[in-house]
Amino acid sequence: MLARVADNLFWMGRYIERAEHMARFMNVNYFSSLDAPSSTSQSREFVLRSMVNMTGLSMASSGVLKEQDVLYRIGTDPGESSSIVNSIKNARGNAQSARDLISTELYESINKFYHFAVDYPTGKFVRTGLFDFTTQVTEMTAIIRGKIRGTLLHDSIYAIIMLGVNLERALQITRIIQAKYLDALHAEGEQEEGFRYSYEWTTLLKCTESYDMMRRLYKKQPTSTSTLEFLILNPNCPRSVMNSLNQIYRHISILDPLRIRDKDSSAFLIGKIRAEYQFKSIEDIDNNHREFITETLSSLSAIGSRIEGEFFYY
Amino acid sequence: MYLFTKPCPMQKRNTLFSSYPRDPGLFDELFDQEGKVTKVYSKLFNLYGKNSISDYLELNNKAKASFFNQGITFQVYNEATTREKIFPFDLFPRIIGAEEWAHIEKGVVQRCRALNLFLHDLYHEKEILKAGVVPLELINSSENYLEQMVGLDPPGGIYNHISGTDIIRHKDGEFYVLEDNIRCPSGVSYVLSNRAALKRAFFGVFNHYDVHTVTNYAENLLDQLERVKPGGVDVPTCVVLTPGMYNSAFYEHSYLAKTMGVELVEGRDLYVENDFVYMKTIMGPRRVDILYRRIDDHFIDPLEFRQDSALGVPGLFAAYKKGNITIVNAPGTGVADDKAVYTYVPDIIRFYLGEEPILKNVQTYHCSRKEDLEYVLDNIRELVVKPVDEAGGYGISIGNCLTDTEVEEVRQSIRNAPRKYVAQPILSLSVHPTFIEESQSFEQRHIDLRTFTVLGPDSSYVLKGGLTRVALRKGNLIVNSSQGGGSKDTWVLQK
């Protein structure tokens, strides 16, 4: 596979995954805040600030946020490089240049996704379409992932796409955790108990489509500890950082089975980070959430740069 | 009023064609001079006739949506936004009978073989120029003659591996060759996607006809390309070179790479080391042996041709000269497909093959010849004037559509550069019923046919089908897609 095309496929996977998490985060946060238990977490400013934090949008840190403005910029603003619509545009652009390598079915689903997003009327989106648009985005990404898994050869092309998908997933999940962690702190202040039992953990689980399964496993109201344990360390939770790392390791091994012994290789770095998370317990994290989240984000970006250096721009 | 006559059971009223305006002065592929349906079309005519206009419209919309969703589109650029458009496609296929096809196929292969010998001669002994069959000035003044190719022997001795021959049917019912395209002829992916779309929309009709498949194009192409691999290579690596995804034919490039199962590369993916060509893969460099390039000669290598080309590969031509890579089509083929050389093709065929041309040429006047020039200047109204080196239907003036001032302008540009122009009598291209969306009915539109021939060292392959292009604007004779043309699926019958 050409290095340039591999780069494109990697980013195709990343942009598809990114669009999904952004859309789901907006959707769940917005609608669950409408009847949230505390007045802080019910306020518009609170939920909009949370969205801005998660997406990393550059907006003035003081001053009142305007709802339609924030929704527009995150959702359908063609001039905002990190908007959902631009993620989808980039996903298609990358798919297009690798069109000869992927299946017609996969390309068609990405292309339909693109046309859906660019044609979505902005006025409708910011006034009444938030639920509709974000729900459709998450559903269409699920279809696309199905086409990736179901119509491609599971060879190096597939491995590159899945590397992108899973790396982005781990990154987005960590960013969502970060945003909700800040929300919980903000909503409950420094109160130990309040923070521990904050309503924001429920929202966090819903933002990652993991609430129901988490309840099944723990059979108790989510707390900061159980939620973070589930979303970071549980290898069976398909959205957990651990699960993503396992997937990343699996796919780098398809790509590069022999280089695992070379300590400068991506495979070696991924193996090392994965082992670190595999043998971590929630007690190791519980006292320094903030630092741990920052470390996770930087480990994940290190994996990204190592992959790019080894395969795309050698 | 036929509306009130009892329909005869054999020939039920065909609502699709009830308002078909037929101009008896034109050659209609479907109806003969008396308005009767021709033999090859009769079954199809009845089968389509079972649909109402609204059925047909629905199928038409579905077919369009399928092209759009698959991204078989081209970009239209304007002020602020770029819009994607599909190439207009007509659901009523064009049928070519087995006998007629055999004639066409023999004719195009003969032409392509002769042009290949002609190219070899031009870059070697130049016998044909010495014999005075083709005038020396014609070649000397051609911008497409590449000095760099003199004395070079392309692997397998093939220059024009892939040729697109444009053929029309005149109102006398005969086929004429309008143009040879032996640089980078495009359009073959539309043949295949037109067939796919038609199969989805009207699958039932295929049970009634034995239509040759077109889906074997890619495997035949790859097969022929692998036969012209450079010496010393066992299992060659073939790639398709594209200018990139913003090129209007990018869909075709990716389609060809995908169906041949080879990599689609851009210039920046390749590099040359010690006169060998490599592509940059995730596992390091990999040697490339056969390069099916879809960029023009002048852009393939900035060291040898246009220095500002970012599309090509520095050093590619040196590798080619060493015989380490096959470039398809060979550089320098453009000298043999320009519109001035076109007129000599019948003589070229006689000279190299000692055969009479199977397909006719259209009578052409060269403005570089004194007597022709005078005739052209006096009779512009009856002629089509074409620049010799433009492709895509640009710069063509059709005499009977010009205003008086335009006629004067054309005269002036011919006088300024006679070598640049040829003229042909205005041909009446045959017409074919075509669904027109604005009027929601079938109307006559002019069509042509582009055939695709793949030439190998000892065998050849002609795609049994081709691209029937339709001039969608009423009365228009120019069928190129850049000029508002559409296309039709083309059926070649097995018997």
Side-chain angles (χ1 to χ4, degrees):
Chain A
M1 186 182 5
L2 291 172
R4 173 181 57 82
V5 171
D7 189 17
N8 290 336
L9 287 171
F10 180 73
W11 278 98
M12 177 191 95
R14 290 193 66 166
Y15 279 120
I16 291 165
E17 191 71 17
R18 185 174 297 181
E20 187 202 341
H21 288 278
M22 286 172 71
R24 200 156 17 71
F25 187 81
M26 273 180 113
N27 181 319
V28 176
N29 252 337
Y30 187 92
F31 293 101
S32 67
S33 75
L34 295 175
D35 56 354
S38 81
S39 60
T40 319
S41 48
Q42 250 188 46
S43 90
R44 292 302 75 208
E45 183 69 16
F46 179 84
V47 69
L48 295 176
R49 188 59 72 187
S50 176
M51 287 183 193
V52 170
N53 285 339
M54 184 273 182
T55 53
L57 210 63
S58 57
M59 279 198 141
S61 51
S62 58
V64 181
L65 294 168
K66 285 204 208 80
E67 174 171 324
Q68 295 203 346
D69 194 27
V70 174
L71 296 187
Y72 173 63
R73 288 199 44 201
I74 300 178
T76 55
D77 184 356
E80 173 61 57
S81 60
S82 51
S83 65
I84 294 177
V85 79
N86 271 322
S87 280
I88 298 171
K89 248 187 219 171
N90 291 334
R92 189 186 79 145
N94 282 299
Q96 199 171 359
S97 66
R99 210 170 153 164
D100 53 311
L101 298 180
I102 60 178
S103 63
T104 311
E105 292 78 8
L106 173 58
Y107 185 76
E108 191 167 339
S109 62
I110 295 173
N111 196 39
K112 270 164 117 166
F113 187 35
Y114 164 83
H115 285 296
F116 159 77
V118 295
D119 294 341
Y120 204 88
T122 284
K124 179 180 167 196
F125 171 68
V126 295
R127 280 194 302 276
T128 57
L130 178 65
F131 183 81
D132 176 52
F133 179 77
T134 52
T135 308
Q136 293 216 52
V137 168
T138 49
E139 283 180 357
M140 285 173 151
T141 51
I143 292 174
I144 293 171
R145 269 198 308 271
K147 300 280 183 192
I148 294 174
R149 204 171 42 242
T151 68
L152 296 185
L153 262 183
H154 288 204
D155 62 359
S156 55
I157 292 168
Y158 178 74
I160 286 274
I161 300 174
M162 293 312 282
L163 273 176
V165 166
N166 284 292
L167 181 64
E168 187 69 23
R169 179 176 301 169
L171 272 165
Q172 291 297 328
I173 291 292
T174 313
R175 295 189 74 132
I176 291 175
I177 292 173
Q178 188 177 39
K180 294 316 290 176
Y181 163 77
L182 293 174
D183 284 353
L185 274 186
H186 185 184
E188 316 299 339
E190 291 299 317
Q191 253 190 332
E192 186 67 29
E193 277 301 282
F195 175 78
R196 199 173 158 71
Y197 291 102
S198 172
Y199 175 69
E200 299 308 324
W201 304 122
T202 299
T203 317
L204 168 56
L205 286 163
K206 287 184 175 165
C207 283
T208 54
E209 287 180 336
S210 307
Y211 181 70
D212 296 337
M213 293 303 114
M214 193 276 184
R215 292 299 299 240
R216 230 191 82 195
L217 188 67
Y218 289 85
K219 303 180 176 64
K220 281 194 191 104
Q221 187 199 346
T223 64
S224 56
T225 306
S226 59
T227 304
L228 294 177
E229 183 178 42
F230 188 66
L231 279 183
I232 297 174
L233 299 177
N234 190 324
N236 295 330
C237 165
R239 292 282 157 79
S240 72
V241 175
M242 190 66 237
N243 186 286
S244 300
L245 283 170
N246 285 337
Q247 295 286 333
I248 293 171
Y249 186 72
R250 203 177 119 208
H251 290 108
I252 198 81
S253 313
I254 296 180
L255 209 57
D256 194 1
L258 297 176
R259 281 191 226 177
I260 183 81
R261 302 266 165 235
D262 173 358
K263 61 187 188 327
D264 295 324
S265 71
S266 314
F268 188 86
L269 178 69
I270 293 166
K272 196 167 155 182
I273 293 173
R274 170 176 168 258
E276 192 186 323
Y277 280 73
Q278 192 175 359
F279 298 105
K280 209 179 269 300
S281 68
I282 191 64
E283 288 74 23
D284 302 332
I285 305 172
D286 234 0
N287 296 318
N288 55 349
H289 296 126
R290 194 189 291 258
E291 258 174 57
F292 179 76
I293 291 168
T294 326
E295 268 170 33
T296 306
L297 285 173
S298 65
S299 300
L300 292 169
S301 0
I303 293 177
S305 334
R306 187 68 63 88
I307 292 176
E308 295 191 342
E310 183 178 345
F311 296 103
F312 310 151
Y313 316 113
Y314 53 83
Chain B
M1 294 294 285
Y2 57 74
L3 278 177
F4 300 103
T5 55
K6 188 169 164 248
C8 126
M10 284 303 287
Q11 262 196 319
K12 253 198 333 202
R13 262 301 347 140
N14 201 318
T15 53
L16 276 186
F17 288 91
S18 56
S19 59
Y20 184 67
R22 198 173 61 81
D23 178 348
L26 299 171
F27 186 99
D28 196 308
E29 299 278 346
L30 196 76
F31 299 98
D32 65 14
Q33 281 304 306
E34 284 89 52
K36 283 222 301 280
V37 179
T38 53
K39 203 168 140 246
V40 285
Y41 279 97
S42 63
K43 267 189 273 177
L44 193 70
F45 180 75
N46 291 330
L47 289 164
Y48 269 58
K50 289 179 185 150
N51 297 288
S52 66
I53 284 284
S54 65
D55 293 339
Y56 192 86
L57 210 64
E58 195 188 327
L59 288 170
N60 194 41
N61 287 337
K62 280 197 181 140
K64 273 163 55 183
S66 135
F67 273 99
F68 189 72
N69 286 332
Q70 284 182 61
I72 307 175
T73 52
F74 64 103
Q75 302 270 357
V76 186
Y77 297 95
N78 53 15
E79 315 84 50
T81 52
T82 55
R83 278 190 355 104
E84 266 176 60
K85 289 183 74 174
I86 62 164
F87 284 105
F89 163 66
D90 189 60
L91 278 176
F92 198 101
R94 186 239 188 114
I95 304 180
I96 301 174
E99 248 169 68
E100 269 177 344
W101 178 258
H103 174 72
I104 293 175
E105 186 166 324
K106 258 196 277 168
V108 294
V109 171
Q110 182 194 45
R111 259 182 114 87
C112 295
R113 284 248 170 258
L115 287 173
N116 190 51
L117 293 168
F118 176 55
L119 281 161
H120 185 272
D121 189 22
L122 284 184
Y123 290 117
H124 293 82
E125 274 65 46
K126 303 190 173 62
E127 301 286 357
I128 198 162
L129 305 181
K130 290 176 197 160
V133 175
V134 172
L136 183 63
E137 319 79 81
L138 199 68
I139 305 303
N140 281 346
S141 61
S142 170
E143 288 170 14
N144 297 307
Y145 184 77
L146 295 185
E147 285 296 339
Q148 290 93 332
M149 286 298 292
V150 172
L152 265 181
D153 285 301
I158 302 293
Y159 287 84
N160 52 330
H161 308 83
I162 301 152
S163 310
T165 314
D166 291 348
I167 297 171
I168 58 135
R169 197 205 286 270
H170 188 40
K171 63 179 166 208
D172 60 8
E174 293 271 353
F175 289 106
Y176 290 80
V177 174
L178 207 54
E179 228 174 81
D180 303 285
N181 296 279
I182 57 177
R183 298 173 212 190
C184 296
S186 63
V188 73
S189 58
Y190 297 102
V191 176
L192 298 142
S193 46
N194 284 352
R195 177 65 54 85
L198 191 65
K199 278 202 276 197
R200 258 176 271 167
F202 285 105
F203 49 88
V205 298
F206 284 90
N207 298 334
H208 300 268
Y209 280 94
D210 285 327
V211 182
H212 274 292
T213 182
V214 288
T215 49
N216 56 2
Y217 178 74
E219 62 191 70
N220 280 288
L221 175 60
L222 186 62
D223 182 42
Q224 292 293 358
L225 294 185
E226 288 183 343
R227 286 179 200 208
V228 290
K229 63 189 179 188
V233 176
D234 250 1
V235 183
T237 302
C238 177
V239 300
V240 177
L241 175 65
T242 171
M245 57 185 267
Y246 298 106
N247 185 274
S248 61
F250 180 75
Y251 168 71
E252 175 151 312
H253 306 159
S254 68
Y255 184 91
L256 286 167
K258 182 196 280 194
T259 46
M260 288 196 285
V262 305
E263 297 288 348
L264 179 65
V265 305
E266 293 179 18
R268 57 185 161 147
D269 298 319
L270 302 178
Y271 68 94
V272 178
E273 204 174 272
N274 297 329
D275 294 328
F276 284 95
V277 182
Y278 298 91
M279 59 178 163
K280 302 175 197 166
T281 78
I282 54 169
M283 296 303 168
R286 181 159 166 213
R287 198 182 140 182
V288 174
D289 307 301
I290 300 162
L291 184 69
Y292 177 17
R293 46 88 183 216
R294 295 294 298 255
I295 62 179
D296 290 341
D297 285 355
H298 299 291
F299 295 95
I300 57 173
D301 182 351
L303 299 184
E304 196 71 42
F305 304 100
R306 273 183 65 159
Q307 290 170 12
D308 59 342
S309 168
L311 304 174
V313 189
L316 176 64
F317 198 79
Y320 183 65
K321 267 203 288 210
K322 283 267 168 81
N324 292 336
I325 189 159
T326 307
I327 299 179
V328 174
N329 286 350
T333 50
V335 66
D337 76 352
D338 87 12
K339 293 182 183 69
V341 168
Y342 162 82
T343 37
Y344 295 97
V345 174
D347 299 325
I348 291 171
I349 293 173
R350 290 183 198 108
F351 185 81
Y352 294 107
L353 303 176
E355 298 167 5
E356 273 307 298
I358 297 166
L359 288 169
K360 291 187 181 171
N361 242 29
V362 181
Q363 163 73 38
T364 307
Y365 302 95
H366 287 261
C367 300
S368 55
R369 289 185 199 145
K370 201 159 168 293
E371 56 285 21
D372 284 10
L373 177 65
E374 274 163 28
Y375 178 84
V376 172
L377 292 174
D378 292 343
N379 296 283
I380 285 194
R381 288 248 174 252
E382 280 85 57
L383 298 169
V384 185
V385 178
K386 300 176 176 181
V388 289
D389 47 11
E390 291 277 349
Y394 290 102
I396 293 182
S397 320
I398 297 172
N400 57 1
C401 307
L402 300 178
T403 63
D404 286 347
T405 39
E406 282 167 342
V407 167
E408 228 10 81
E409 282 166 25
V410 174
R411 277 207 186 103
Q412 203 45 53
S413 12
I414 297 175
R415 275 198 207 99
N416 291 344
R419 164 67 179 82
K420 271 191 77 175
Y421 293 93
V422 295
Q424 292 168 338
I426 298 174
L427 281 181
S428 176
L429 274 62
S430 63
V431 292
H432 195 291
T434 301
F435 188 71
I436 302 300
E437 283 176 28
E438 293 79 56
S439 64
Q440 301 211 346
S441 63
F442 281 91
E443 293 179 18
Q444 289 182 322
R445 287 294 183 272
H446 291 290
I447 57 166
D448 81 344
L449 174 70
R450 171 167 287 187
T451 61
F452 296 90
T453 308
V454 185
L455 208 58
D458 37 37
S459 60
S460 60
Y461 163 80
V462 182
L463 176 64
K464 290 189 194 308
L467 189 63
T468 293
R469 296 183 295 180
V470 192
L472 289 176
R473 265 175 282 154
K474 198 168 185 169
N476 195 341
L477 290 170
I478 302 176
V479 293
N480 300 57
S481 57
S482 47
Q483 307 275 314
S487 67
K488 281 173 173 292
D489 188 17
T490 308
W491 294 4
V492 171
L493 300 185
Q494 298 189 17
K495 48 182 183 262

